[in-house]
């Protein structure tokens, strides 16, 4: 167990992969992590630095020089990048191509997932909920069977705001007549008894890493410059060791600070949500001995605009994500464990009425609420997954970590040209193209969807005998067509989903709670929401 | 505005907006001549400097590969799961009326040994040039020959040689269809497939392919298509079944010019594809 711990703490150098305790405790440190500065300040390194004078300043002077060439270069080996690479390795058409993945972190020592299961281990505080489509994707990649022992099946999710009993309970998708109407196979979701699965990010990474042939990964290697000249159908990449390579297609899986994105002409729209998330692992009370702890809870706390999510991890433990206004986060991170547990319980149990404020808005809300209450019969309690929310008993020492929350997206575009070039040569997938609030647990799933669709479309093109990686115009046209089709396909999913996530918080905070009671009865609509969330 | 432009580019509107000015002669659907086709057609197509591989007007035909390549591939492999990047290794196909090799190259890339024949010298030249310049790895299993099918059939060593004969977008230019099908039959191995894509003889086809495409929008030169040469799936089925084939499938094909994507459809009113198997023995002598 210890070695696993040490391994992960060594591996998690990047600002985003804050897994282990003590390493990083406040977002200030997160925000000022060195890598990021490097990207921000000096992107066109090679042209300005004197040490590079011996090297060609741009792609121009590289004429005649032959650098190693790859059909596809993937920048970033997070969960999205590794899944995409594994998809490529498992396609008979794509595994034939020359592929390289660059990852700035060092390789992790292999983790024996089979052995790990029998050991007592510390639960990591970075967890994700996987939708059924993502489970299916991992299943097709043949990694799900290794992940499954660690994945906590979640049977339902209860979302509420003012009153626990006036919330919405989402349950697994049921086959309905809609299934017969839908033609697009991507909207059909695999039948499953569960709503989603909660699993630690580290376990997913280890599962993927164990399956991947590592000869096409270069660890500890960062992209430092991307160069293209008009008319050229390849892109020239400079790596941190100053070696150069060329590629036909550059795929950015390098997270929300994407270097590929910054080196392209794809516009990024971002918004600081002025919120931060605190994550950690807690022990929670069981309702009875039969309680399997298989319900996810999410509360939009009305009086302080916090959002608290509890995701079940094991029989007794859950992972929490608490999003709070940015200015409070340092104070909360400094709280003692007991005080923090109390704070979590307050956020779960505190009744909104306690802090009735006198604003016009709340007056309107309350009036609507009492009107609605008369109309809707209140038998909601019967369908609750638990009579009361679970109580937090204790927090794992030093499991707290915080992240600034931001919203950012390149949509509607994901495909673009590299700065300096005039051909569509790069595509962004995962957080590099869309970073969302964690409240809906969708971020990773959207990224996995991108990876799967991009992989499928590339595979389809090659299986149709298309020549998409050659150095000529026809080939470029065919590659563009593939990339545009991926982009268009993803827009249908990403734009509505991101809009929904972005408005959800306001909806839950301002709508009268009886609206949710009413909504909770619309099983058909809920069923369709579950379908949308779980499909590609 | 910029966004609109980008949309136009991405949804392939641009070629449509631009194309009507540039097409005059640069276009035809792959013409494939037979003795049965008007003789001066060959010279017409010889003279028209085709831009098979990058011309805007060829875009629908290039895009048709999205349907016809998988159709041919899956017909040959019997729809088995593809486990190598050369699933057609060991299969031989002939593309009758291959034009600039738009269909031959993908098939060869999937491993098939492909022969492309076309009576037009300039088409064959374009096809060979493209192969040698851009796809030189295919030179081993992709050969072109300037000939018509009936001349090709004269050589008996070609008989019963091919796992598949592909006649894609060519029947609508053939006058003596019966002769054409008989020639195909000779080339195919018993149990091999005849794979056809063509245009139906319907009002819809007349409106889309002649009225709109030729007369109104001028996307393709007037006279490219003649309504009398179009053939309905039922007549074609009768014809091939007379000639020792059994029809396996007939599927409609739809083109969306905005996304430049083809899709399969139940409706065969305009374009359709037919797959027919050559019967093992010539037992099936119809009256
Ligand atoms: C608090 C919190 C809770 C969340 N909960 C959920 C949830 O429940 N469900 C869910 O689906 N999602 C969740 N998410 C979102 C999810 O974590 C992300 O969407 C997902 O990790 C994105 O994966 P990625 O591979 O795109 O990016 P990342 O995981 O950020 O990976 C990027 C990789 O690229 C590497 N890299 C970066 N720059 C370079 C470079 N220049 N050269 C080489 N390599 C480079 C990095 O080292 C890293 O390995 C949550 C996020 C947060 C903050």
């Amino acid at each position: 167990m210890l070695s696993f711990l040490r391994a992960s703490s060594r591996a998690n150098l990047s600002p985003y992969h804050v897994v282990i305790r003590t390493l990083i405790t406040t977002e200030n440190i997160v925000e000022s992590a060195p890598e990021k500065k490097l990207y921000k300040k000096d992107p066109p390194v090679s042209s300005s630095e004197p040490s590079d004078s011996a090297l060609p300043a741009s792609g121009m002077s590289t004429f005649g020089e032959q650098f190693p060439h790859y059909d596809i270069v993937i920048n970033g080996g997070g969960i999205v990048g590794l899944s995409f690479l594994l998809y490529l390795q498992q396609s008979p058409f794509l595994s034939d191509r020359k592929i390289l993945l660059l990852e700035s972190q060092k390789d992790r020592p292999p983790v024996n997932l089979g052995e790990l299961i029998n050991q007592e281990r510390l639960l990591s505080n970075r967890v994700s909920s996987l939708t059924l489509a993502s489970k299916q994707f991992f299943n097709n990649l043949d990694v799900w069977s290794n992940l499954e022992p660690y994945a906590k099946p979640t049977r339902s999710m209860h979302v509420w705001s003012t009153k626990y009993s006036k919330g919405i309970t989402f349950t697994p998708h049921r086959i309905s007549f809609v299934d017969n109407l839908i033609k697009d196979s991507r909207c059909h979701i695999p039948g499953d008894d569960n709503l989603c699965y909660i699993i630690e990010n580290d376990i997913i990474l280890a599962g993927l890493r164990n399956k991947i042939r590592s000869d096409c990964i270069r660890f500890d290697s960062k992209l430092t410059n991307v160069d293209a000249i008009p008319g050229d159908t390849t892109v020239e990449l400079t790596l941190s060791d100053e070696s150069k390579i060329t590629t036909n297609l550059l795929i950015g899986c390098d997270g929300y600070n994407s270097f590929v994105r910054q080196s392209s002409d794809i516009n990024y729209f971002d918004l600081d949500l002025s919120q931060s998330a605190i994550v950690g692992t807690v022990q929670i009370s069981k309702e009875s001995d039969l309680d399997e702890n298989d319900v996810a809870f999410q509360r939009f706390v009305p009086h302080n605009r916090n959002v608290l999510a509890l995701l079940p991890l094991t029989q007794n433990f859950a992972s929490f994500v608490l999003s709070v206004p940015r200015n409070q986060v340092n104070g909360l991170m400094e709280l003692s464990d007991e005080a923090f547990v109390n704070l979590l319980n307050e956020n779960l149990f505190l009744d909104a009425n306690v802090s009735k404020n006198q604003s016009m808005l709340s007056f309107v809300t309350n009036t609507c609420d009492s009107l609605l209450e008369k109309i809707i019969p209140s038998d909601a309690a019967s369908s609750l997954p638990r009579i009361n929310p679970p109580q937090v008993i204790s927090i794992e020492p030093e499991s707290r970590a915080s992240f600034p929350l931001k919203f950012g997206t390149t949509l509607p575009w994901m495909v673009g040209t590299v700065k300096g070039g005039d051909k569509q040569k790069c595509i962004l997938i995962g957080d590099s193209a869309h970073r969302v609030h964690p409240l809906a647990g969708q971020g990773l799933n959207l990224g996995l969807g991108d990876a799967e669709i991009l992989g499928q479309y590339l595979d389809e093109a090659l299986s149709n005998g298309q020549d998409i990686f050659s150095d000529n115009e026809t080939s470029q046209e065919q590659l563009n067509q593939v990339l545009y089709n991926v982009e268009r396909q993803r827009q249908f999913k990403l734009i509505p989903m991101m809009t929904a996530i972005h408005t959800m918080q306001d909806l839950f905070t301002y709508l009268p709670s009886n609206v949710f009671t009413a909504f909770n009865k619309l099983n058909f609509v809920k069923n369709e929401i579950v379908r949308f969330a779980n499909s590609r | 505005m910029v966004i609109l432009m980008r949309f136009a580019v991405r949804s392939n509107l641009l070629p449509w907006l631009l194309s009507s000015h540039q097409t005059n002669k640069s276009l035809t659907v792959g013409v494939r001549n037979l003795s049965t086709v008007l003789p001066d057609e060959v010279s017409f197509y010889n003279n028209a400097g085709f831009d098979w591989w990058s011309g805007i007007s060829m875009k629908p035909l290039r895009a048709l590969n999205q349907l016809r390549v998988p159709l041919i591939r899956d017909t040959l492999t019997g729809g088995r799961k593809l486990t190598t990047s050369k699933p057609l290794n060991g299969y031989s196909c002939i593309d009758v009326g291959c034009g600039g090799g738009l269909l031959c190259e993908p098939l060869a890339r999937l491993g098939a040994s492909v022969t492309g024949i076309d009576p037009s010298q300039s088409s064959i030249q374009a096809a060979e040039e493209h192969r040698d310049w851009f796809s030189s790895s295919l030179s081993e299993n992709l050969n072109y020959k300037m000939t018509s099918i009936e001349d090709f059939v004269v050589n008996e060593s070609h008989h019963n040689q091919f796992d598949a004969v592909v006649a894609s977008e060519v029947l609508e230019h053939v006058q003596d269809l019966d002769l054409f099908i008989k020639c195909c039959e000779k080339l195919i191995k018993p149990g091999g497939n005849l794979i056809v894509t063509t245009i139906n003889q319907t009002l819809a086809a007349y409106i889309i392919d002649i009225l709109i495409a030729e007369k109104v929008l001028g996307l393709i030169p007037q006279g490219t298509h003649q309504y009398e040469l179009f053939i309905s799936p039922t007549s074609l089925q009768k014809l091939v079944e007379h000639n020792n084939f059994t029809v396996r499938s007939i599927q409609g094909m739809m083109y969306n010019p905005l996304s430049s994507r083809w899709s399969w459809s139940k409706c065969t009113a305009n374009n359709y594809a037919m797959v027919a198997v050559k019967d093992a023995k010539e037992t099936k002598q119809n009256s």
Side-chain angles (χ1 to χ4, degrees):
Chain A
M1 179 193 96
L2 260 180
S3 75
F4 173 66
L5 263 183
R6 241 181 285 125
S8 24
S9 57
R10 239 186 297 127
N12 286 286
L13 301 169
S14 106
Y16 209 33
H17 281 239
V18 193
V19 177
I20 292 302
R21 339 171 117 208
T22 53
L23 246 189
I24 291 162
T25 41
T26 74
E27 65 188 85
N28 298 336
I29 301 175
V30 176
E31 284 278 71
S32 62
E35 283 105 319
K36 198 173 158 185
K37 285 256 169 73
L38 198 133
Y39 295 162
K40 283 244 162 96
K41 280 199 180 142
D42 35 7
V45 188
S46 59
S47 51
S48 55
E49 279 194 349
S51 63
D52 279 326
S53 56
L55 287 171
S58 76
M60 293 285 239
S61 44
T62 64
F63 274 134
E65 250 178 288
Q66 283 289 317
F67 299 120
H69 180 78
Y70 296 90
D71 294 320
I72 302 178
V73 170
I74 305 164
N75 191 47
I79 298 177
V80 173
L82 288 183
S83 314
F84 181 68
L85 178 62
L86 187 55
Y87 186 97
L88 300 186
Q89 291 190 345
Q90 293 187 355
S91 144
F93 296 97
L94 286 154
S95 58
D96 258 18
R97 317 301 310 197
K98 285 207 75 184
I99 296 165
L100 182 68
L101 184 144
L102 302 170
E103 167 55 50
S104 54
Q105 299 181 34
K106 292 203 166 58
D107 194 7
R108 304 159 160 241
V111 178
N112 188 333
L113 288 177
E115 258 170 39
L116 193 64
I117 190 77
N118 300 319
Q119 297 169 5
E120 193 189 310
R121 68 198 169 90
L122 196 87
L123 295 163
S124 141
N125 62 9
R126 288 290 281 124
V127 307
S128 294
S129 71
L130 292 180
T131 60
L132 302 184
S134 298
K135 172 192 168 186
Q136 180 83 40
F137 180 48
F138 284 138
N139 208 3
N140 296 344
L141 291 179
D142 201 23
V143 286
W144 180 250
S145 55
N146 293 332
L147 303 183
E148 193 164 19
Y150 302 91
K152 176 72 187 168
T154 303
R155 206 169 30 83
S156 60
M157 177 189 284
H158 188 72
V159 186
W160 78 103
S161 177
T162 27
K163 269 209 167 68
Y164 178 78
S165 61
K166 293 178 179 175
I168 304 174
T169 309
F170 292 97
T171 49
H173 179 75
R174 277 187 211 92
I175 306 291
S176 71
F177 70 93
V178 183
D179 290 83
N180 298 326
L181 300 178
I182 295 180
K183 290 213 184 93
D184 189 344
S185 62
R186 270 177 283 271
C187 297
H188 282 288
I189 60 172
D192 206 297
D193 297 337
N194 295 298
L195 191 66
C196 61
Y197 292 80
I198 315 283
I199 184 166
E200 295 150 83
N201 288 4
D202 272 357
I203 300 285
I204 308 181
L205 282 168
L208 290 167
R209 182 65 192 83
N210 290 352
K211 276 272 174 212
I212 284 174
R213 289 197 314 273
S214 51
D215 50 340
C216 30
I217 309 187
R218 235 184 260 180
F219 287 101
D220 203 7
S221 177
K222 221 187 309 195
L223 197 56
T224 57
N225 193 34
V226 182
D227 225 335
I229 42 175
D232 218 351
T233 47
T234 60
V235 174
E236 187 185 293
L237 311 176
T238 313
L239 311 188
S240 41
D241 62 359
E242 308 214 328
S243 62
K244 294 192 179 220
I245 55 176
T246 56
T247 185
N248 277 91
L249 175 60
L250 175 60
I251 297 177
C253 307
D254 39 0
Y256 60 83
N257 261 329
S258 175
F259 182 72
V260 174
R261 185 183 69 224
Q262 292 164 23
S263 321
S264 75
D265 70 336
I266 310 176
N267 289 328
Y268 189 59
F269 167 78
D270 64 340
L271 206 63
D272 192 337
L273 302 175
S274 311
Q275 287 177 335
S276 285
I278 303 178
V279 299
T281 313
V282 290
Q283 189 174 3
I284 58 171
S285 71
K286 285 184 157 202
E287 191 156 58
S288 70
D289 286 343
L290 294 176
D291 184 354
E292 288 281 333
N293 186 24
D294 53 7
V295 184
F297 297 93
Q298 177 147 320
R299 184 177 193 196
F300 294 84
V301 191
H303 52 283
N304 56 13
R305 298 210 30 137
N306 290 355
V307 186
L308 176 60
L310 275 181
L311 308 170
L313 271 182
T314 64
Q315 286 269 339
N316 299 303
F317 284 93
S319 179
F320 73 86
V321 182
L322 175 67
S323 70
V324 295
R326 179 83 41 85
N327 55 15
Q328 294 174 15
V329 73
N330 285 342
L332 296 182
M333 288 301 292
E334 278 159 20
L335 286 181
S336 71
D337 282 350
E338 278 114 72
F340 196 81
V341 167
N342 287 340
L343 174 100
L344 290 178
N345 282 326
E346 250 172 52
N347 278 302
L348 279 171
F349 290 96
L350 202 65
D351 217 324
N353 299 341
V354 177
S355 61
K356 234 185 194 139
N357 61 31
Q358 297 302 314
S359 75
M360 192 58 198
L361 191 64
S362 72
F363 174 75
V364 174
T365 308
N366 289 335
T367 322
C368 292
D369 226 12
S370 40
L371 277 175
L372 277 167
E373 187 146 359
K374 300 212 171 75
I375 310 170
I376 306 160
S378 57
D379 58 349
S382 57
S383 67
L384 289 174
R386 261 180 86 130
I387 296 157
N388 286 307
Q391 184 154 17
V392 175
I393 301 173
S394 63
I395 181 166
E396 288 293 279
E398 292 167 25
S399 71
R400 257 180 288 165
S402 76
F403 307 85
L405 291 180
K406 290 181 183 164
F407 172 90
T409 180
T410 62
L411 286 172
W413 315 125
M414 300 164 82
V415 180
T417 64
V418 167
K419 279 186 185 143
D422 61 353
K423 300 228 156 45
Q424 314 278 316
K425 281 286 151 193
C426 64
I427 181 163
L428 303 173
I429 63 177
D431 271 22
S432 64
H434 41 73
R435 178 184 189 186
V436 294
H437 196 291
L439 62 79
Q442 283 290 333
L444 175 61
N445 294 294
L446 293 175
L448 291 173
D450 298 343
E452 184 172 11
I453 300 289
L454 177 60
Q456 272 176 10
Y457 280 42
L458 289 171
D459 179 70
E460 187 196 330
L462 292 174
S463 76
N464 289 350
Q466 286 189 34
D467 176 28
I468 50 178
F469 295 121
S470 288
D471 198 2
N472 64 66
E473 287 292 328
T474 324
S475 171
Q476 178 68 37
E477 181 198 326
Q478 295 187 343
L479 178 63
N480 283 353
Q481 203 56 54
V482 174
L483 299 183
Y484 292 157
N485 287 338
V486 173
E487 185 183 73
R488 187 168 15 216
Q489 182 63 42
R490 290 310 288 162
Q491 285 165 356
F492 285 124
K493 174 76 186 188
L494 292 169
I495 294 175
M497 185 54 103
M498 296 183 71
T499 316
I501 295 173
H502 204 62
T503 44
M504 207 180 322
Q505 196 170 4
D506 291 324
L507 275 185
F508 272 91
T509 321
Y510 293 119
L511 279 183
S513 64
N514 280 311
V515 171
F516 301 112
T517 320
F519 185 87
N520 197 32
K521 297 193 188 309
L522 302 175
N523 285 329
F524 171 74
V525 181
K526 287 200 295 180
N527 202 32
E528 287 312 304
I529 291 177
V530 171
R531 177 210 301 284
F532 180 67
N534 271 305
S535 66
R536 274 288 180 252
Chain B
M1 188 57 206
V2 175
I3 290 192
L4 276 181
M5 282 298 287
R6 281 185 89 163
F7 258 123
V9 173
R10 285 178 191 218
S11 54
N12 301 299
L13 279 171
L14 218 50
W16 276 67
L17 297 175
L18 301 176
S19 59
S20 42
H21 319 293
Q22 327 182 331
T23 34
N24 311 347
K25 287 204 169 178
S26 68
L27 175 283
T28 177
V29 176
V31 146
R32 312 71 190 305
N33 204 357
L34 297 179
S35 57
T36 46
V37 178
L38 294 172
D40 42 285
E41 267 200 39
V42 175
S43 57
F44 170 73
Y45 293 113
N46 275 341
N47 296 335
F50 292 131
D51 202 354
W52 292 97
W53 288 93
S54 48
I56 284 160
S57 48
M58 283 296 171
K59 200 159 184 166
L61 193 61
R62 285 198 297 273
L64 186 57
N65 281 354
Q66 294 154 4
L67 291 190
R68 55 187 182 174
V69 177
L71 175 70
I72 296 164
R73 182 194 67 204
D74 295 344
T75 303
L76 284 172
T77 61
R80 278 188 300 277
K81 193 171 184 295
L82 308 174
T83 52
T84 75
S85 62
K86 304 247 175 261
L88 297 187
N89 244 339
Y91 293 101
S92 60
C93 320
I94 178 165
D95 182 5
V96 183
C98 62
L102 295 181
L103 179 56
C104 294
E105 284 201 10
L107 293 176
R109 205 167 281 119
L110 293 178
S113 82
V114 180
T115 309
I117 63 170
D118 199 296
S120 151
Q121 192 203 337
S122 68
S123 294
I124 291 294
Q125 199 180 334
E128 284 179 334
E129 269 170 17
H130 192 274
R131 177 196 59 196
D132 297 343
W133 275 92
F134 299 120
S135 314
S136 51
S137 60
L138 302 180
S139 52
E140 286 197 355
N141 57 337
L142 172 57
N143 293 298
Y144 293 108
K145 196 163 192 278
M146 189 192 91
T147 175
S148 65
I149 189 168
E150 56 269 30
D151 291 343
F152 191 74
V153 165
V154 171
N155 184 339
E156 290 206 1
S157 70
H158 296 142
H159 290 192
N160 297 325
Q161 287 305 304
F162 296 95
D163 296 292
V165 168
V166 181
S168 183
E169 306 303 300
V170 63
L171 259 50
E172 62 270 24
H173 303 281
V174 171
Q175 283 193 331
D176 189 348
L177 258 187
D178 190 50
L179 174 64
F180 184 92
I181 300 291
K182 285 204 163 68
C183 293
C184 293
E185 195 268 343
K186 289 217 174 72
L187 299 175
I188 302 176
K189 290 178 187 169
N193 293 282
L194 172 65
I195 300 163
V196 167
T197 72
T198 189
I199 304 177
N200 198 347
Q201 197 175 40
T202 58
L203 185 61
Y206 176 77
I207 292 174
I208 294 169
D209 296 290
I210 298 183
L211 213 58
I212 298 184
E214 289 182 20
K215 306 210 161 127
V216 179
L217 294 179
L219 290 175
I220 48 180
Q222 290 209 14
T224 301
H225 289 127
Q226 284 160 278
Y227 184 70
E228 310 77 63
L229 296 184
F230 292 176
I231 181 164
S232 72
T234 31
S235 331
L236 184 60
Q237 175 161 13
K238 248 191 221 144
L239 186 66
V240 299
E241 296 201 332
H242 264 299
N243 285 295
N244 197 31
F245 287 101
T246 306
V247 170
R248 277 266 183 82
S249 70
I250 298 175
Q251 284 167 283
M253 305 188 293
M254 285 287 209
Y255 183 61
N256 175 352
L258 295 185
S259 64
S260 89
R261 269 182 93 77
W262 286 86
S263 52
W264 293 116
S265 143
K266 285 204 179 93
C267 163
T268 56
N270 188 10
N271 300 82
Y272 65 96
M274 174 185 283
V275 178
V277 190
K278 177 172 165 179
D279 295 336
K281 280 188 199 127
E282 304 200 8
T283 45
K284 206 175 164 192
Q285 286 305 337
N286 296 288
S287 52

